Amino acid sequence: MSLPTRTIFYLTVYGRNEGATAVINHPEKRRLRSISSDNRPALEVGFTKDRKTSLATLGRGDTDIFIDRTDVSRLQCSFEIDPDTNSIMLHDHFNQRTTQVFGQKAQDGAPFLDDHPRRVLVQIDFNTVICMGSERQGRIEFELVWPQQPAQTMDAIKKHNMTAATQAINPRQAQTVDDADTILPLQRQTRIHTSGASNPSIRYVTLGDPMGEGTFGKVYKAINVDTGEFLAVKRFKTAQGNANMGAYIYKTIKREVETIARCSHMTENSSVGDGY
């Protein structure tokens, strides 16, 4: 299948069982169907310049991937682009919470959690299996295949958004008279650091190689799996077999975390968790 010339990137959806294969072969979405090199039928959904934040929708309503099943809602789930980071998030819209997501291996996935919002990160080699439907009618299982690394996808979306914003603004029509005054803060607000329980339950996935390395660990760029936000994650080395060095490293890490938590700067976000 030839994708539209306006396509920025695309997602390929394969069927992992009979229910998903029936969805792919449904005549309603014939225009999206393709055949892989190993003769597996698939659907290719492209993100084009006409789109805003949604990559693809799934359900039995007017959706990109039509699922003709009574145990699936009109809008079951969707792949949405986070406006701040351009990462791809899977949103579960069905109030019965029958959508779930996994990795090919346990360490390559982060399923929906009951105490978290029903959205989760999806990308190459991470959360690549989604399923929906009831056990009675048989679960539908799809496999997601991305053609490029997350950084490439994010960069393509960023360039598209910058181009769209430039074209949308006409300097000759810019409003200058009736705009409201900008209200500046009276003084710099400093976040007060108070001791409390740490939050080691943040789920994240790292992006690429370390950004930096120090005496006690390495710093990675990462994405919060549940929010799509960027994080800076520092992974510390362990002092195996040396109790004195282990105690010293512990104190150093604790002091560093407390220092970061007291910082307040326009280029530094709040410390969101630690596990020391």
Side-chain angles (χ1 to χ4, degrees):
M1 184 193 74
S2 60
L3 291 168
T5 56
R6 297 167 64 84
T7 299
I8 300 172
F9 70 92
Y10 63 93
L11 164 67
T12 304
V13 181
Y14 292 95
R16 283 173 54 92
N17 60 7
E18 292 183 2
T21 301
V23 172
I24 291 174
N25 291 328
H26 195 282
E28 179 74 16
K29 296 303 176 185
R30 187 183 298 108
R31 62 183 179 82
L32 300 177
R33 193 177 306 130
S34 66
I35 301 296
S36 66
S37 57
D38 56 353
N39 292 323
R40 296 174 62 195
L43 297 178
E44 291 186 348
V45 182
F47 180 76
T48 67
K49 295 181 180 180
D50 300 323
R51 297 253 183 180
K52 292 185 178 179
T53 60
S54 178
L55 169 58
T57 54
L58 296 84
R60 60 184 175 88
D62 184 17
T63 55
D64 296 302
I65 299 178
F66 178 72
I67 304 175
D68 191 11
R69 291 266 296 258
T70 57
D71 57 342
V72 172
S73 69
R74 294 184 61 82
L75 179 58
Q76 177 79 20
C77 57
S78 64
F79 298 97
E80 305 291 338
I81 299 173
D82 183 271
D84 297 319
T85 63
N86 296 324
S87 55
I88 309 298
M89 307 290 290
L90 175 66
H91 290 236
D92 179 19
H93 300 284
F94 193 19
N95 57 13
Q96 297 296 319
R97 298 191 169 195
T98 57
T99 304
Q100 193 49 274
V101 59
F102 305 97
Q104 298 286 355
K105 299 179 181 179
Q107 65 269 26
D108 298 329
F112 289 119
L113 299 179
D114 291 337
D115 58 344
H116 285 61
R118 300 292 289 182
R119 65 175 184 266
V120 71
L121 178 74
V122 289
Q123 63 181 32
I124 188 171
D125 298 330
F126 186 81
N127 278 348
T128 56
V129 178
I130 63 171
C131 59
M132 61 197 70
S134 64
E135 296 290 345
R136 181 177 180 180
Q137 295 193 38
R139 300 285 278 173
I140 302 171
E141 294 187 8
F142 295 107
E143 178 184 351
L144 311 179
V145 177
W146 303 89
Q148 55 192 16
Q149 294 295 326
Q152 295 175 300
T153 299
M154 294 175 188
D155 186 57
I157 299 173
K158 181 179 179 180
K159 291 180 179 178
H160 159 63
N161 291 339
M162 291 177 63
T163 302
T166 302
Q167 294 175 346
I169 300 176
N170 186 335
R172 295 187 178 184
Q173 298 177 350
Q175 185 177 5
T176 58
V177 178
D178 298 328
D179 286 344
D181 294 335
T182 300
I183 301 176
L184 300 176
L186 297 178
Q187 59 183 8
R188 177 180 173 183
Q189 300 295 318
T190 302
R191 183 175 65 257
I192 300 176
H193 172 64
T194 57
S195 60
S198 61
N199 182 17
S201 62
I202 294 174
R203 304 190 299 174
Y204 67 88
V205 58
T206 58
L207 298 174
D209 297 327
M211 297 188 299
E213 182 174 0
T215 304
F216 300 110
K218 299 178 181 180
V219 178
Y220 294 83
K221 182 178 182 179
I223 300 180
N224 186 319
V225 168
D226 298 295
T227 66
E229 296 175 323
F230 285 136
L231 301 172
V233 174
K234 186 169 186 178
R235 291 179 174 174
F236 292 93
K237 303 174 184 177
T238 58
Q240 298 180 354
N242 189 331
N244 292 331
M245 180 59 68
Y248 174 73
I249 293 177
Y250 170 82
K251 292 180 181 179
T252 302
I253 295 172
K254 186 174 184 295
R255 184 168 60 248
E256 180 174 333
V257 171
E258 290 175 343
T259 300
I260 294 174
R262 287 194 296 267
C263 293
S264 178
H265 191 271
M266 64 180 67
T267 61
E268 183 268 331
N269 291 326
S270 59
S271 174
V272 293
D274 58 74
Y276 64 80

